[in-house]
Amino acid sequence: MTLPPHLGIRESHLTIGGIECSSLADRFGTPLYVTDQDRIIAKYRDYHTALGSLYPKVQVLYAAKANGNLAIIKALAREGAGADVFSSGELQLALAAGIPCEKLLFNGSSKSQRDLRLAVEHDIAVSVDSLDELFQLEQVAGSMGRTARIAFRVNPALDVPTHPKIATGLATSKFGIAHNLIPSAYREALGCTHIRPAGIHCHIGSQILDLEPFRKAADVMMRIVADLAGMGIELDFIDLGGGLGIPYRHGTETAPGPAEYAAAVAPIIKKGTESLGIDPELWVEPGRSLVADSTVLLCRVNSVKKAHKNFVNVDAGFNLLVRPVMYNSYHEIVLAHGVNHIPEETYTITGPICETGDILASDRHLPRIKAGDLVAILDTGAYGFSMSSQYNSRPRCAEVLIHDGTPALMRRAETVDDLTATMRTPPWLS
Ligand code: LLP
């Protein structure tokens, strides 16, 4: 198994950011998400440098849904990152983290009036997903005496090689406006009094390991941008979305990095904009490829059971990591204090949730495991904690951030009091 540079092995013990996972588990308790901040920042810089070397004006917007911890958004904000926000909550977190409004894009296919008002109030560009939303935004902005900056979300009708639940630019998917209808949508926008077309946006899906769909999407976007230029619309930004995948299967899977991604898309945008004599900013919205491999989820083994299979029952399940259950996704699992030990058994790692499907990993060849051992689930920084739940009334676990060899809590563990804090007793039960 190959490990990324922030993970290491010291006398068979897994380390993250130079610290032994077992000492982090002893100090902070389990289950525990542990994230290496410096890894995220290195990835952000890779993106910015790679795109910036091929295109003059670049903005990397972190897709805050991947991991919404304020500390992570703050660390990225300090580097100059913007953010793709998909809800009023993410928008408020991005502002709280110090990201300037002009570096935000408010995405989403189902925004409420309250969402639209919040965007207009802060002059945040809105990715508009339908004509219905456009006309609602026109009304909202008008009622506030403001102008809303918009980008239409293009549906490029592209089949992408990824899990069907996370392909977002298919002709059949719920997102965006069909690419052939986009020029007429901008024409509608020009007819509005309180709307200013500022950009154009697409996002074709997630965990994409092939660069070809990104090239195709960039081509579609440039064709539309040319049409818009012909209509006299000059855009401030072209946003290609996120979607670059990571190699979850260490040693056997490979993935293009930010440099290869930049080399695939930036020249298409550069050539197209130069030939049109325009100079919009190039925006991208990576989530997973910035944060996924920065994080391990540490779980304690509660018990081991030989039955139909060898079950290893750990203290985290799909309440804390839903990806394996939801997308059948693969995450490497290691015995944190015996990474180099010889695999002797085939284990299925199961969580504590009251569902047969609560399986984090099936049939993994691992060193012998016993109750009390610590296992680490790798590459859990994206869509891990951010998709967690309190199912089975399990308080969510803590998150630790490491920077420069120093670990600190970035989220305390919830308690049962946190679960009941929002509950109310109806009068007839008190
Ligand atoms: N921009 C937009 C508009 C998005 O909808 C997304 C992700 C991104 C950017 C970031 O995409 P990324 O670079 O992270 O691939 N929960 C799923 C992934 C869902 C992605 C949703 N949209 C998973 O765990 O695989």
Side-chain angles (χ1 to χ4, degrees):
M1 182 185 312
T2 50
L3 293 175
H6 60 296
L7 299 182
I9 302 170
R10 192 182 301 143
E11 289 164 14
S12 269
H13 285 248
L14 182 71
T15 63
I16 176 164
I19 306 170
E20 276 178 21
C21 289
S22 38
S23 75
L24 291 165
D26 290 345
R27 176 167 164 200
F28 295 101
T30 63
L32 184 70
Y33 272 105
V34 184
T35 296
D36 186 314
Q37 175 181 325
D38 306 335
R39 174 66 172 172
I40 296 174
I41 299 308
K43 288 290 204 78
Y44 170 81
R45 289 179 184 161
D46 283 351
Y47 259 104
H48 203 270
T49 309
L51 287 162
S53 68
L54 297 171
Y55 193 84
K57 293 193 287 182
V58 167
Q59 185 64 58
V60 179
L61 284 75
Y62 167 52
K65 73 210 75 174
N67 191 324
N69 193 295
L70 196 52
I72 289 175
I73 308 176
K74 257 187 193 158
L76 284 162
R78 284 191 185 171
E79 286 290 309
D84 138 36
V85 296
F86 216 84
S87 68
S88 287
E90 287 179 5
L91 190 158
Q92 284 164 300
L93 284 177
L95 292 178
I99 299 186
C101 298
E102 66 272 16
K103 292 185 180 179
L104 297 176
L105 183 66
F106 197 157
N107 285 318
S109 52
S110 181
K111 301 184 198 79
S112 66
Q113 291 267 318
R114 181 178 164 267
D115 294 333
L116 297 177
R117 268 198 300 277
L118 192 66
V120 174
E121 185 189 327
H122 292 280
D123 189 24
I124 289 164
V126 178
S127 168
V128 173
D129 199 86
S130 65
L131 287 183
D132 188 358
E133 186 181 309
L134 175 75
F135 298 135
Q136 288 189 40
L137 186 58
E138 158 80 345
Q139 255 188 354
V140 167
S143 72
M144 296 168 74
R146 308 280 284 265
T147 297
R149 291 184 300 122
I150 66 134
F152 280 109
R153 164 109 178 223
V154 177
N155 182 322
L158 281 179
D159 211 351
V160 292
T162 189
H163 191 283
K165 281 189 182 151
I166 55 174
T168 52
L170 308 174
T172 50
S173 79
K174 71 170 180 172
F175 296 106
I177 296 176
H179 58 101
N180 54 319
L181 301 177
I182 288 285
S184 64
Y186 278 92
R187 209 164 288 121
E188 293 287 352
L190 289 180
C192 293
T193 316
H194 304 283
I195 298 287
R196 183 172 84 74
I200 187 160
H201 174 225
C202 79
H203 170 72
I204 58 173
S206 197
Q207 183 54 12
I208 301 167
L209 297 173
D210 176 4
L211 293 172
E212 198 46 31
F214 293 113
R215 283 193 201 96
K216 284 189 183 150
D219 277 332
V220 171
M221 294 291 271
M222 275 322 303
R223 275 203 295 277
I224 299 172
V225 170
D227 286 348
L228 299 183
M231 291 160 57
I233 299 174
E234 213 179 290
L235 302 174
D236 302 338
F237 64 87
I238 299 171
D239 184 338
L240 298 180
L244 192 61
I246 67 141
Y248 281 103
R249 290 168 191 266
H250 292 216
T252 58
E253 206 170 32
T254 54
E260 287 101 332
Y261 170 80
V265 298
I268 296 172
I269 308 299
K270 182 138 189 278
K271 190 167 160 230
T273 51
E274 276 176 359
S275 74
L276 294 168
I278 56 175
D279 65 341
E281 291 185 4
L282 172 58
W283 289 13
V284 292
E285 302 173 345
R288 186 192 314 271
S289 51
L290 285 180
V291 295
D293 77 2
S294 68
T295 301
V296 296
L297 173 56
L298 303 180
C299 321
R300 193 67 74 184
V301 176
N302 283 329
S303 54
V304 180
K305 180 167 68 175
K306 239 184 177 39
H308 161 65
K309 289 192 167 193
N310 274 335
F311 291 113
V312 173
N313 301 309
V314 299
D315 58 3
F318 76 69
N319 53 323
L320 292 177
L321 182 67
V322 78
R323 302 195 67 257
V325 172
M326 194 148 171
Y327 314 109
N328 210 11
S329 60
Y330 182 98
H331 287 262
E332 296 289 359
I333 309 255
V334 300
L335 181 63
H337 45 85
V339 187
N340 286 336
H341 293 181
I342 296 166
E344 289 182 69
E345 293 277 0
T346 301
Y347 290 113
T348 288
I349 317 295
T350 60
I353 297 300
C354 171
E355 301 222 12
T356 308
D358 186 26
I359 292 173
L360 295 170
S362 293
D363 302 323
R364 299 296 176 87
H365 213 39
L366 289 165
R368 192 146 308 192
I369 294 178
K370 59 181 187 325
D373 282 352
L374 187 70
V375 298
I377 309 178
L378 307 190
D379 305 312
T380 48
Y383 311 108
F385 193 98
S386 68
M387 291 180 79
S388 65
S389 74
Q390 297 166 326
Y391 185 36
N392 273 175
S393 293
R394 287 187 172 271
R396 277 175 286 229
C397 69
E399 292 182 288
V400 163
L401 189 66
I402 301 176
H403 170 51
D404 244 354
T406 305
L409 271 185
M410 62 172 168
R411 188 191 308 261
R412 70 159 170 82
E414 290 173 350
T415 64
V416 173
D417 284 344
D418 292 317
L419 301 188
T420 54
T422 52
M423 297 183 191
R424 297 290 176 267
T425 306
W428 61 90
L429 292 176
S430 58

